[in-house]
Amino acid sequence: MRVPKIVIGLFGIDQHEVGALAVSSLLRDAGMEIVYAGRYNTPDSLVRIAVEEDADIIGVSCHSWEYLGYVPELIGLVKSHSPDIAVVLGGSVITATDARVMEAAGVAAIFGPGDAPIAISDSIRRITAARRRSIRGSFQGLD
C-alpha cells in the first residue's frame, strides 16, 4: 500500500516556514511522503503540484491571515480538478471562529501549535485512508 503523500506549502507573502518545515519533518519521520512546495504559493500552484504529484492531501501552513481569502479559492480549485484531494491547515493564527469557517468551506482538519505530533500524523493517515476508500469505491462501479 502506498504511503500518504502530502504537498505542504505557504500562501502569498507568508514567510513563516518554521512550522511547515517542522510538520514536514514529523510526517516524513512517520513514514509519509512529503512534497515541500515552500513559500509564495497561490491556490492554483498548490493544486497544480498536488495533481501532478497525485497527492492525497494539500497542507497549508498559516501564519498570516492570507489563508482567509486563499483557502476558499483553493477548495474550489480542488473540487474542479481533483475533488478527492483533502485540504488541511496548520498554524498559529487560526482562531476558533476561523476554524469553523474553514471547516464549513471544506477543510478536512486544522492543527494548531499545541497539537501533539502523533495526533497530527494519525489524523493525516485517517484522512488519506478515507480518500483512498472513496477512490476505490468510485472505480467499483466501472466493472
Side-chain angles (χ1 to χ4, degrees):
M1 182 166 151
R2 192 180 94 169
V3 299
K5 189 177 219 182
I6 302 99
V7 170
I8 295 180
L10 292 80
F11 283 131
I13 60 171
D14 186 349
Q15 296 185 37
H16 300 90
E17 70 181 333
V18 172
L21 292 168
V23 170
S24 295
S25 293
L26 86 85
L27 294 176
R28 188 173 290 118
D29 290 349
M32 299 179 205
E33 184 176 349
I34 304 302
V35 177
Y36 190 70
R39 300 176 288 176
Y40 312 118
N41 288 286
T42 64
D44 185 63
S45 66
L46 287 177
V47 170
R48 181 181 40 77
I49 294 166
V51 169
E52 288 173 0
E53 293 286 342
D54 190 26
D56 298 297
I57 294 174
I58 298 172
V60 179
S61 179
C62 305
H63 297 282
S64 76
W65 282 270
E66 291 179 296
Y67 73 92
L68 293 171
Y70 283 132
V71 169
E73 182 181 349
L74 175 67
I75 297 286
L77 288 169
V78 165
K79 287 179 180 177
S80 68
H81 286 85
S82 187
D84 56 337
I85 296 174
V87 174
V88 300
L89 304 179
S92 62
V93 297
I94 303 170
T95 65
T97 300
D98 289 347
R100 287 189 295 276
V101 170
M102 294 294 102
E103 288 168 343
V107 171
I110 298 172
F111 306 105
D115 288 319
I118 191 72
I120 295 170
S121 61
D122 286 351
S123 181
I124 295 297
R125 287 186 197 288
R126 279 192 302 277
I127 293 166
T128 300
R131 172 189 186 260
R132 292 183 180 166
R133 278 192 305 274
S134 171
I135 292 169
R136 279 194 306 272
S138 65
F139 284 110
Q140 287 178 349
L142 298 176
D143 294 339

